[in-house]
Amino acid sequence: MTSSFPAPTLNVRLAGGDYVVADLESVLGEDWAKLPHVLRIIAENVTRAPKTQDECSQALRGLRNWLVQGTSDVEIAFQPGRVLMHDTTCTPALVDVAAMRDAIAAAGGDPEILSPVLPVDVSVDHSLGVDLSASPDAMRVNLEREYRRNSERYRFLKWATQALRGVRVHPPGTGIMHTINLEQLATVVTTRTVDGRRWALPDTLIGTDSHTPMINGIGVLGWGVGGLEAESVMFGMPVMMRIPDVVGVRLTNRLREGVSATDLALTVTQRLRARMVTGAFVEFFGPGVSSLSGGERAVVANMTPEFGASTAYFPIDAATLAYLAQTGRSPEQIDLVEAYAKKQQLWFDPQAEPRYTDIVEIDLARIAISLAGPSRPQDLLAPDAVAPALAKMAQPESPSASLPRYPVAIAAITSCTNTSDPRLVVAAGLVARKARRLGARRPAWVKTSLAPGSPAAERYLKRAGLLEDLEALGFSIVGYGCTTCIGNSGPLLPVMDAAIRTDQVLPVAILSGNRNFPGRVHGQVEAGFLASPALVVAYALAGDADRDILTDPLIATADGEPVLLADLWPTGAEIDAALALALDPADFSRAFAEATKSCHWADLDAPSSPLFPWDPASTALRPPPFARAVQPNRLGRYRARPLLVIGDDITTDHISPAGQTPAASEAGRWLIQRGEDPKDLNVYASRRGNWEVMLRGLFTNRTVVNALAPGLPPGSTLHGPTGEILPLWRAAERYRDSGEAMVVVAGERYGTGSSRDWAAKGLGLLGVNAVLASSFERIHRSNLIGMGILPLELPPGTGPASLGLASGDMIEIEAPPDAITPRCTVAAHIHRGSGSVEPLFLTAAIETALECETLRAGGIISLILGRQIDASVPPFAAAGEARPAASRGT
């Protein structure tokens, strides 16, 4: 934070202390409190953060006009207060930074000048695998194997904490990043001292994970970005964006008995995805909000990327304060949050009706027990619709005599989404307790696991006496990480694996996660259903998805009496009683502190030099070719080969895999040739610091269909000039060698899913100039621009199928650098192999002038390095100061 603030200020007394706050009413007028809460926070940021008077005035005019029109095209610069990352998104980002330091040193500069100017917290949560489950030794064994597989990468992260100012790593076992943020890092209101004056201001952040908006459940504004954008922000560049549309979701009434926050989150996901809120901010308002706890709100906010919005916000109120108290924040911090929110009109009023771009109505009393699947999180299903949905999928050729046709292969209580709210975890424990008392056992083919987002979960489950009940049904704690939700589910049980290999069953995963794309949870499992933790336990007991879980018997007692879900389902009063026994606010800080003192982490030997000492033989870490000051500009006038033609809903999982690396794959062969064990190649996500592996893994998901020719294997294409079928990276290499440009053509919602920047970096390494798609998901669109790749929207009603592209066709694109502006029209022509030519008018999916500048520079890394090397100063004006000494609001 610099020493000057352009905004008028107020000296106020809050919670017994004297503070300076931004005076928003004086710059926005008396109607400013009619803005949505999210825009009030943005207004505070815009007026306080350093910028020119013209920039500030333009932003404030845009906000005032937004009140009239409910939308705006005005660009603003948002300066978040901190950055949140996890190990498999921070590794490639920090590899970029290490390589950029090399470039600065090679140019004669001081590499140490390239250090973050914002606090950066890294959670090591994405590398834990479920190798062992349903065992009291599971957590120990899985953690030891995690360190063995990833020790080189973890030493690199430890180097970063010593070489880069402001980077703090939370080691394996401390929890999932979003749960850590909720329980440990978030202050809701923070303080900073500038020129001897103590400021109070909203806690804000960006995170390199699309589920960063989970923190919005307790009134902290944050959203997910790609690693490339995070790199620019950590070095002081603002987040440039158009003042967002804000969709208000009015909640009325309250959830019925037996209905959970998971059911609400899945319903919101279905409703808002259908409303097409892509790129918008969402804010919840209305009297129903007050009936939800902070934990329940966080569950809903976590699903923001699944319904396509940028962020989804619940304003600060008494439930926020209760959550802070439940997780052990100090009374002084809680008092400051309340006083500041009320003073700055950020306190929630259930009767208020702010101005919104659009409004969606949801009656909480009409929410029912639900699942989502079998392949998309927005496909909401009643329990009796699960079996019919599975019946529409490809059926097994040789039905098993010993297993059901739709056996539950995986039943996982996993993910921050539903394990960060103790109420949901305790409810699952109560189902297990009742089932155990009836003598229930899980079928031998069901792999069960419990991976909470917080190490405090073990303490409160033990205190309530529920951990033993869960363990008795196979739900032993396997560790504290993302595990099954991100595809680190480990091997299936042998009986299930054998049945799948002989095509006897259609295996099903039931998980309390946030995504269920085909093959994401496990490479052998294409059908996945999202459900509450309590439903996960119920399906594990049944072992069979070919049923209505609400009405069909789950198990039978020893005397043959059928047991229904209603016999096991806990009442609200039972959950309340168990929570009262279970929760101790001191657990959260104590469990986290204990996990932070990991002896495994302390024993890691890491270099401390300003430049990272690369090992040329490493299979985990290699400096990427694009981390250079000068990168090719991909704009211009050119004819391009279509490298891939793919359909709708191509996710970042499809583009850049995260799960197990198959030995027979291009990436697997590359690793084996360099001495890696074919039986344990680790997951793709662990190799995101190695561009060679990630390049070879592109589009290898077995459900990806390249329509350039029939029957193309995943990860391959038809080389136009020769007609050969080649791996993508080989074909792209040939095109580059012959000087030919390349494009990718896709359908709706291209790049949906996680924030992984390798989905864009991979295309950059292939040499792709542009991606033509019917529509883009926000983070991936930003990542493409960060790599200098031009995202182009196809005309409405036009898609890959209607274009009918073949390998002999060429696409001519006219995109000279000086003509590219936000949302400009880009002329194109399809030159058919037959000789005919068809015009095509595309729209540049560019939102800001900074994105245009990034494209002209050849990508964000070139932009950062170019300014750094030219100026010999930090690449952007400092937007923050050193990390505050305390966290958790103490």
Side-chain angles (χ1 to χ4, degrees), residues 484-499:
T484 301
C485 185
I486 59 166
N488 292 352
S489 50
L492 299 178
L493 297 183
V495 63
M496 179 60 62
D497 178 72

Side-chain angles (χ1 to χ4, degrees), residues 138-472:
M139 183 158 50
R140 176 186 61 79
V141 170
N142 293 332
L143 185 64
E144 289 175 353
R145 291 184 182 179
E146 178 186 355
Y147 270 97
R148 176 176 57 79
R149 290 170 176 152
N150 299 284
S151 60
E152 181 184 2
R153 187 160 54 91
Y154 290 173
R155 284 194 293 271
F156 171 72
L157 296 182
K158 198 168 182 180
W159 166 82
T161 67
Q162 300 172 116
L164 303 175
R165 294 185 301 274
V167 175
R168 177 171 55 181
V169 175
H170 306 287
T174 52
I176 299 174
M177 64 184 292
H178 307 302
T179 312
I180 292 174
N181 200 17
L182 283 165
E183 296 177 356
Q184 309 296 329
L185 305 179
T187 57
V188 186
V189 172
T190 190
T191 62
R192 292 179 188 167
T193 300
V194 181
D195 291 344
R197 305 172 77 199
R198 185 167 58 158
W199 281 76
L201 57 147
D203 181 13
T204 60
L205 73 148
I206 59 162
T208 58
D209 186 275
S210 56
H211 296 101
T212 299
M214 187 172 201
I215 200 63
N216 292 1
I218 61 168
V220 176
L221 182 59
W223 60 86
V225 299
L228 290 163
E229 186 171 2
E231 289 174 33
S232 68
V233 171
M234 72 170 68
F235 295 126
M237 181 183 282
V239 176
M240 295 300 301
M241 61 183 186
R242 181 175 60 82
I243 297 175
D245 291 352
V246 183
V247 176
V249 179
R250 181 189 284 112
L251 302 181
T252 56
N253 294 316
R254 60 175 55 244
L255 296 174
R256 292 178 292 144
E257 176 81 7
V259 176
S260 72
T262 310
D263 305 313
L264 172 59
L266 296 178
T267 302
V268 169
T269 299
Q270 186 268 336
R271 290 285 305 278
L272 293 186
R273 179 57 81 171
R275 198 67 168 250
M276 294 189 292
V277 297
T278 302
F281 281 28
V282 167
E283 181 171 297
F284 296 90
F285 74 109
V289 169
S290 300
S291 71
L292 301 173
S293 70
E296 289 171 324
R297 297 172 187 183
V299 173
V300 177
N302 179 280
M303 295 292 286
T304 297
E306 280 64 57
F307 51 76
S310 295
T311 199
Y313 186 78
F314 285 88
I316 302 165
D317 67 357
T320 311
L321 307 184
Y323 182 87
L324 296 175
Q326 175 186 299
T327 50
R329 272 39 174 240
S330 70
E332 295 79 11
Q333 178 64 21
I334 296 170
D335 289 346
L336 176 61
V337 170
E338 180 176 9
Y340 179 86
K342 289 180 175 178
K343 173 63 181 176
Q344 293 294 79
Q345 299 198 53
L346 295 176
W347 188 261
F348 177 65
D349 177 0
Q351 304 306 317
E353 297 274 343
R355 172 75 157 99
Y356 292 110
T357 308
D358 192 11
I359 291 177
V360 176
E361 305 275 355
I362 294 181
D363 182 351
L364 297 179
R366 301 187 67 178
I367 307 297
I369 294 175
S370 308
L371 300 92
S375 60
R376 300 191 307 178
Q378 66 262 39
D379 295 333
L380 186 72
L381 294 173
D384 63 359
V386 169
L390 289 168
K392 295 177 182 178
M393 300 181 68
Q395 301 299 298
E397 290 187 1
S398 307
S400 171
S402 58
L403 296 179
R405 52 162 199 170
Y406 306 143
V408 176
I410 293 173
I413 301 175
T414 178
S415 173
C416 56
T417 309
N418 290 296
T419 69
S420 297
D421 182 6
R423 188 174 190 86
L424 291 172
V425 180
V426 164
L430 291 171
V431 171
R433 171 175 290 174
K434 294 183 179 185
R436 184 187 180 200
R437 288 174 177 172
L438 292 171
R441 295 287 185 272
R442 65 183 171 90
W445 59 82
V446 182
K447 181 172 185 177
T448 48
S449 61
L450 169 59
S454 168
E458 181 178 10
R459 297 184 180 217
Y460 67 68
L461 285 172
K462 277 184 176 178
R463 189 176 293 111
L466 294 173
L467 186 58
E468 186 177 341
D469 295 312
L470 286 161
E471 290 173 337

Side-chain angles (χ1 to χ4, degrees), residues 620-642:
L621 301 168
R622 294 198 168 206
F626 48 74
R628 298 170 184 165
V630 179
Q631 286 292 312
N633 185 319
R634 300 170 197 260
L635 301 174
R637 295 182 174 89
Y638 53 85
R639 285 194 186 186
R641 295 276 186 182

